[in-house]
Every structure is written in structure tokens, then in C-alpha cells.
Amino acid sequence: MLINTFSIPQGKEEEFVKMWTEALEFIKNEPGFIDAKLHRSLDPNAQFQFINVAHWETRDAWQAAFDKLQPQELTKQVSFEQIPALYEVAVHFKRE
């Protein structure tokens, strides 16, 4: 699972969502992509205003798509900082 945190300049949130949605149009057709959700913080002062949680079949599939996406081109549209990392579930809890 990919978890990517985004720090966006105040007032640029809607532009970022538009840019992220456009990037998803490219990503969703890449081999190994399963799904993605962009979460928005309810706290306007949060360090990370957005968090993307995406599922990929393999690490290699994610890396190939990420390399093709060219994040530096995206930051020209809306300046943002991101911290992408791949995770695996360590503990799972489900209410019965």
C-alpha cells in the first residue's frame, strides 16, 4: 500500500485536488494499479492537508508508474511537498 502525505500552500487546496485528479487519470491505467483515495484533513492547520492511500499489486508496478508520472512536472502546476512511502499492514483490527 502506498501512503503519500501532501503539504499544500494555503489557498491552493482546490487546485491541488484538480491536479491530483488529473494525475489519477494517468495512473489508473497503469499496470498493477488497484485503487486510490485522497483524504483531506478536517483541521485547516494540519501539517499535511491531504493524504493519498493507494493500493498496487507490487512495489515494482508502483515504482514504474511513479517514475513515468514525473512528479516534478506536477509541482509546476501547484507547488507542494510530498512524502510517498510503501507500507504493509502490521496489525489489523475489525469490529465484529
Side-chain angles (χ1 to χ4, degrees):
M1 162 182 2
L2 166 72
I3 298 177
N4 196 354
T5 56
F6 298 95
S7 181
I8 313 300
Q10 195 168 33
K12 298 290 187 178
E13 295 86 357
E14 296 311 315
E15 288 177 58
F16 174 78
V17 170
K18 182 178 183 281
M19 181 273 315
W20 188 87
T21 303
E22 290 171 1
L24 186 61
E25 286 300 314
F26 166 78
I27 289 290
K28 72 180 187 180
N29 296 316
E30 288 299 300
F33 174 79
I34 299 171
D35 67 0
K37 292 181 182 178
L38 184 65
H39 303 264
R40 177 183 236 156
S41 175
L42 298 176
D43 178 357
N45 298 313
Q47 179 179 1
F48 302 109
Q49 296 87 352
F50 294 95
I51 297 176
N52 171 32
V53 178
H55 295 95
W56 290 84
E57 291 176 2
T58 66
R59 170 188 288 258
D60 291 341
W62 168 77
Q63 190 64 60
F66 191 77
D67 290 346
K68 279 202 242 177
L69 188 58
Q70 301 176 354
Q72 68 274 13
E73 291 299 315
L74 296 175
T75 59
K76 289 179 183 176
Q77 296 177 39
V78 178
S79 178
F80 63 87
E81 293 180 28
Q82 66 176 326
I83 304 173
L86 296 174
Y87 293 85
E88 65 183 7
V89 176
V91 177
H92 180 259
F93 177 80
K94 184 176 179 180
R95 183 177 155 178
E96 295 184 32

